[in-house]
Amino acid sequence: MEYILIFISAIFVNNIVLSQFLGICPFLGVSKKIDTALGMAAAVAFVLTIATIVTFLIQKYVLDALGLEYLQTITFILVIAALVQMVEIILKKVSPALYQALGVFLPLITTNCCILGVAILVIQKDYDLLTGIVYAFSTALGFGLALTLFAGIREQLSLVNIPKGLQGTPIALITAGLLAMAFMGFSGVVKL
């Protein structure tokens, strides 16, 4: 039951983009078309889940064991950057088609604060490894849902007549705010 609550909460109630405001850069930058939004969502789900596993193990078995907890942030940043590079190299050799699909998005993930934020939140919430993986994957699904919904709305907005002063970034920010308010409606669904 705990995993179901974490799953629903991470996707809808505490959405990483719309509630915690992490990952805003790709949310605004890669959300003009649904295809690119889906590609970014898949890449984030893959890297976020793997990064959470690796950073959790490094935190518990290296940093905590050696009393180096204060190096958490810099260690996690380096691990995430190295992990993204390794994933990119492996995908290029093993699956060129998947590399072509995700290749554009993988370098963007290195600077996505959502990845670092979730890795740190898993440690702060004192989750075990399995709970951390469920939380990370659910958060990635929530990120993908928000990104895809926002991209769909932006595609529809490109078809309507918007006043000149609101075109581009202003209407995107207004839309993001309305989407965040819509997700606030889920706040009573899950009690943690």
Side-chain angles (χ1 to χ4, degrees), residues 61-145:
Y61 297 110
V62 177
L63 297 179
D64 289 347
L66 299 174
L68 300 172
E69 295 89 358
Y70 60 91
L71 293 174
Q72 180 188 58
T73 304
I74 190 72
T75 303
F76 284 12
I77 290 170
L78 293 173
V79 165
I80 291 167
L83 185 63
V84 169
Q85 289 299 317
M86 285 178 21
V87 167
E88 193 171 3
I89 291 168
I90 291 169
L91 279 179
K92 193 174 188 178
K93 289 192 182 259
V94 173
S95 177
L98 185 59
Y99 173 75
Q100 288 292 357
L102 300 179
V104 175
F105 304 110
L106 285 173
L108 292 174
I109 292 174
T110 305
T111 59
N112 188 347
C113 60
C114 170
I115 308 293
L116 178 63
V118 169
I120 291 174
L121 283 171
V122 165
I123 302 301
Q124 285 179 347
K125 293 181 180 204
D126 201 27
Y127 287 154
D128 59 26
L129 183 59
L130 182 58
T131 307
I133 293 169
V134 169
Y135 176 72
F137 186 71
S138 302
T139 300
L141 289 179
F143 177 83
L145 176 66

Side-chain angles (χ1 to χ4, degrees), residues 5-18:
L5 290 175
I6 289 172
F7 185 78
I8 293 170
S9 175
I11 293 174
F12 298 108
V13 179
N14 296 320
N15 188 287
I16 198 79
V17 177
L18 301 174

